C-alpha cells in the first residue's frame, strides 16, 4: 500500500492541489461549526447568559493575543506539520466537550480549541499563499477560496442536523470526524522550505528575544500589507454584523425561522462561487483597487438592510453582498503572497488574523452601544457610515503611500 508521500511523488501537482482544496474545505469550517454548537451546548447545561457569552467569547481570546506569534511559529515549524499536529489536538479537545459537561471546563476547552483552530487556519492560508507566490497561480487560490466557502456552508448545516438527531454527542463527534479528515488531507501536502538549520535556530531566538516584533514592523512598513490588514478588518466587520444584529433585525420584522435560516446560509452559498470570477475581474481592475471596490459592494447591502422588510428584497441584498464577500478572501491572499517574502508569510497571515479577531470584538461592541442609544435600525446606518466612511477616507491614503513607496517605508 502506497504511503502519502509516495502518492505525492507519483502525481505531485494533482495530489497536492487536491489536498490543499480539502484543507480549505475542512479548516475554517471547524470554527463555524464550533461557534454554532457552543451556545446550544452551554444552554443545555443550564448556564447563565453571562457564562454562555463567556463560553462563546473564549474561542477568540487567545487568538487575539497570540495571532502574531502563531504566524511566526508556522513560518518556523512549517504549515504541513502545524496542520497535522493541530488537527489531532482538535480531535482530542473536541471529544472532551461532551465527555465533561461542566460549563467551567467548556470555557477552558474553548480557550484551547480557539487557539488550535486559529493555528490550523493560519497554516492553511500560509500554505496557499506560498503556492500562489511560487507558481503565480491565481486559479488555485480561487478554487481554494471556493472550497473554504463550501465548507463553511456545509459544516454548520451538517452540525445542526447531527445535533437534532443525536444531541451534543452527534454535533461534537461530527467535528471530530471533520478534524480527522483535515489530518488525513494534511498528510498529502508537500512541506515547504523553511530555510536551513542555522536560520531556524536564529528564528527560535527571534521569537523569544523580540525578533518577531522587528519583523512585524518591517511588514507594517509595506503599504500593501496595510491594505490587506484594513481589508481584513472590513471583511470581518461585515461578518460580525451578519452574525449578530442582522439576525436580530430579521427576527424583529417577524420573518419565519426557515426564512431567517435561508437568508443567513445564502451568504456562504453565493460566496462559494464568486472566487471563480476573480480572474475575470482582475482583467479590468487591478487587485489593489478591486479589494476596496468589493469591500464597498459587500458592506453596502448590509448597511441598507433596514430599508427593506420583505423576504425577496432581502434575498436580493444577500445575493449581492454574499457574492462580493466571496471575492474578498482570494484577493487578500493574493495581495499578501505577492507583497511579502515566503519566509514571513505565516507572520503576515498572523497579522491578518489579529485584524480578524479585533473586528470580531470591536464591531459587535460598537453595534451594541449604538442599539442602546439610537435603536436597531438607526444603528445599521451609524455603523455603516463608520465602515463606508473609513473606506472612502483610508483607501485613498493607502493608495497614495503605495504609489510613493511601493517597496515599503524605511523605519
Amino acid at each position: 500500500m502506497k504511503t502519502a508521500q509516495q502518492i505525492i511523488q507519483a502525481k505531485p501537482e494533482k495530489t497536492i492541489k487536491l489536498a490543499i482544496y480539502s484543507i480549505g474545505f475542512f479548516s475554517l469550517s471547524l470554527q463555524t461549526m464550533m461557534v454554532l454548537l457552543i451556545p446550544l451546548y452551554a444552554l443545555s447545561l443550564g448556564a447563565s447568559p453571562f457564562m454562555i457569552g463567556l463560553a462563546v467569547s473564549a474561542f477568540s481570546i487567545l487568538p487575539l493575543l497570540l495571532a502574531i506569534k502563531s504566524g511566526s511559529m508556522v513560518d518556523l515549524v512549517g504549515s504541513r506539520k502545524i496542520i497535522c499536529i493541530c488537527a489531532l489536538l482538535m480531535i482530542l479537545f473536541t471529544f472532551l466537550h461532551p465527555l465533561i459537561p461542566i460549563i467551567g471546563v467548556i470555557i477552558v476547552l474553548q480557550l484551547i480549541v480557539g487557539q488550535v483552530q486559529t493555528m490550523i487556519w493560519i497554516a492553511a492560508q500560509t500554505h496557499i499563499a506560498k503556492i500562489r507566490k511560487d507558481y503565480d497561480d491565481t486559479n488555485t487560490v480561487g478554487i481554494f477560496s471556493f472550497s473554504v466557502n463550501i465548507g463553511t456552508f456545509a459544516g454548520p448545516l451538517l452540525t445542526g442536523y447531527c445535533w437534532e438527531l443525536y444531541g451534543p454527542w452527534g454535533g461534537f463527534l461530527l467535528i471530530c470526524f471533520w478534524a480527522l479528515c483535515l489530518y488525513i488531507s494534511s498528510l498529502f501536502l508537500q512541506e515547504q522550505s523553511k530555510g536551513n538549520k542555522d536560520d531556524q535556530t536564529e528564528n527560535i531566538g527571534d521569537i523569544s528575544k523580540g525578533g518577531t516584533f522587528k519583523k512585524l514592523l518591517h511588514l507594517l512598513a509595506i503599504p500593501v500589507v496595510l491594505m490587506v490588514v484594513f481589508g481584513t478588518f472590513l471583511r470581518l466587520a461585515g461578518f460580525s454584523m451578519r452574525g449578530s444584529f442582522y439576525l436580530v433585525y430579521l427576527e424583529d420584522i417577524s420573518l419565519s425561522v426557515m426564512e431567517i435560516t435561508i437568508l443567513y446560509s445564502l451568504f456562504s452559498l453565493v460566496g462559494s462561487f464568486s472566487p471563480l470570477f476573480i480572474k475575470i475581474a482582475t482583467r479590468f481592475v487591478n487587485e489593489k483597487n478591486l479589494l476596496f471596490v468589493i469591500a464597498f459592494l459587500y458592506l453596502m447591502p448590509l448597511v441598507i438592510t433596514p430599508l427593506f422588510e420583505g423576504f425577496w428584497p432581502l434575498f436580493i441584498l444577500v445575493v449581492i453582498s454574499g457574492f462580493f464577500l466571496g471575492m474578498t478572501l482570494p484577493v487578500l491572499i493574493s495581495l499578501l503572497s505577492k507583497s511579502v517574502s515566503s519566509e514571513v508569510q505565516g507572520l503576515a497571515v498572523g497579522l491578518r488574523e489579529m485584524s480578524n479577531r479585533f473586528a470580531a470584538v470591536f464591531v459587535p461592541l460598537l453595534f451594541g452601544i449604538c442599539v442602546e442609544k439610537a435603536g436597531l435600525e438607526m444603528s445599521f446606518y451609524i455603523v455603516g457610515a463608520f465602515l463606508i466612511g473609513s473606506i472612502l477616507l483610508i483607501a485613498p491614503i493607502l493608495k497614495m503611500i503605495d504609489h510613493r513607496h511601493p517597496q515599503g517605508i524605511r523605519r
Side-chain angles (χ1 to χ4, degrees):
M1 186 174 179
K2 292 183 178 180
T3 66
Q5 290 302 316
Q6 288 174 332
I7 295 175
I8 290 173
Q9 291 172 2
K11 295 182 179 178
E13 185 176 354
K14 183 178 179 180
T15 303
I16 290 170
K17 285 189 176 182
L18 183 59
I20 192 61
Y21 300 151
S22 298
I23 295 295
F25 182 87
F26 291 112
S27 56
L28 185 59
S29 51
L30 285 170
Q31 177 181 346
T32 58
M33 295 163 75
M34 188 66 75
V35 166
L36 175 66
L37 275 188
I38 290 304
L40 295 175
Y41 188 45
L43 189 62
S44 71
L45 296 178
S48 67
F50 173 76
M51 295 301 284
I52 293 174
L54 186 58
V56 173
S57 300
F59 192 90
S60 295
I61 292 176
L62 289 182
L64 177 62
L65 300 174
L66 301 176
I68 299 298
K69 294 292 185 182
S70 298
S72 184
M73 185 61 67
V74 170
D75 286 327
L76 173 63
V77 178
S79 53
R80 178 179 178 273
K81 289 181 181 178
I82 290 292
I83 296 174
C84 284
I85 295 170
C86 288
L88 294 176
L89 291 175
M90 193 77 186
I91 295 171
L92 171 62
F93 290 109
T94 297
F95 183 77
L96 292 177
H97 281 71
L99 191 64
I100 312 176
I102 302 171
I103 188 61
V105 175
I106 301 305
I107 292 172
V108 174
L109 290 174
Q110 280 297 290
L111 284 169
I112 300 170
V113 167
Q115 176 59 22
V116 169
Q117 189 279 327
T118 298
M119 291 287 290
I120 291 172
W121 181 228
I122 289 176
Q125 292 177 87
T126 301
H127 203 89
I128 190 65
K130 289 184 177 180
I131 288 176
R132 169 66 179 84
K133 188 176 185 67
D134 293 341
Y135 299 103
D136 194 24
D137 191 351
T138 305
N139 225 26
T140 300
V141 176
I143 299 175
F144 173 81
S145 299
F146 172 79
S147 302
V148 170
N149 287 325
I150 288 292
T152 56
F153 171 72
L157 285 181
L158 290 174
T159 302
Y161 181 70
C162 289
W163 175 281
E164 286 291 327
L165 290 179
Y166 308 110
W169 276 101
F172 286 112
L173 286 179
L174 176 66
I175 295 180
C176 290
F177 173 75
W178 218 256
L180 177 61
C181 292
L182 178 69
Y183 171 75
I184 294 172
S185 299
S186 69
L187 297 178
F188 293 91
L189 292 177
Q190 186 178 45
E191 188 58 271
Q192 294 158 328
S193 175
K194 306 182 294 297
N196 60 44
K197 188 173 181 179
D198 292 336
D199 291 336
Q200 293 180 41
T201 303
E202 183 180 352
N203 286 337
I204 294 173
D206 283 346
I207 292 178
S208 61
K209 297 177 182 178
T212 299
F213 182 71
K214 294 178 183 178
K215 292 179 181 178
L216 180 61
L217 289 179
H218 286 300
L219 283 178
L220 290 174
I222 302 173
V224 176
V225 172
L226 294 177
M227 290 182 188
V228 169
V229 171
F230 180 52
T232 299
F233 173 83
L234 295 173
R235 171 181 161 85
L236 261 291
F239 260 113
S240 299
M241 290 177 65
R242 179 168 65 96
S244 55
F245 290 95
Y246 176 79
L247 296 177
V248 174
Y249 174 75
L250 296 183
E251 185 178 358
D252 194 53
I253 61 176
S254 301
L255 292 185
S256 68
V257 174
M258 182 57 65
E259 288 174 326
I260 293 173
T261 302
I262 291 172
L263 290 176
Y264 183 79
S265 302
L266 192 61
F267 276 97
S268 295
L269 181 61
V270 174
S272 299
F273 298 95
S274 54
L276 306 178
F277 293 87
I278 289 290
K279 198 168 186 178
I280 298 174
T282 52
R283 293 176 184 173
F284 303 96
V285 184
N286 70 62
E287 286 183 320
K288 296 173 185 177
N289 291 329
L290 183 63
L291 174 62
F292 298 115
V293 170
I294 59 180
F296 177 88
L297 294 174
Y298 156 48
L299 289 169
M300 185 55 72
L302 287 172
V303 172
I304 64 174
T305 292
L307 295 177
F308 304 91
E309 293 188 359
F311 173 78
W312 288 110
L314 291 171
F315 184 96
I316 294 172
L317 289 179
V318 167
V319 169
I320 297 171
S321 181
F323 180 83
F324 290 106
L325 163 67
M327 297 179 75
T328 55
L329 182 59
V331 172
L332 289 167
I333 290 175
S334 180
L335 284 173
L336 200 59
S337 68
K338 291 188 292 187
S339 62
V340 303
S341 66
S342 298
E343 289 74 18
V344 291
Q345 282 289 337
L347 181 61
V349 173
L351 178 63
R352 203 175 77 77
E353 184 64 22
M354 187 176 70
S355 180
N356 272 344
R357 301 297 179 172
F358 176 74
V361 172
F362 173 76
V363 173
L365 179 61
L366 173 63
F367 217 125
I369 294 173
C370 291
V371 170
E372 287 189 2
K373 301 295 183 182
L376 180 59
E377 293 187 14
M378 186 57 65
S379 297
F380 276 87
Y381 306 133
I382 295 173
V383 175
F386 169 76
L387 295 175
I388 300 298
S390 67
I391 295 176
L392 299 177
L393 177 65
I394 297 176
I397 295 175
L398 292 176
K399 289 288 295 178
M400 181 182 66
I401 296 174
D402 181 57
H403 179 72
R404 293 183 178 180
H405 307 278
Q407 303 303 319
I409 304 171
R410 293 188 177 184
R411 295 194 173 191

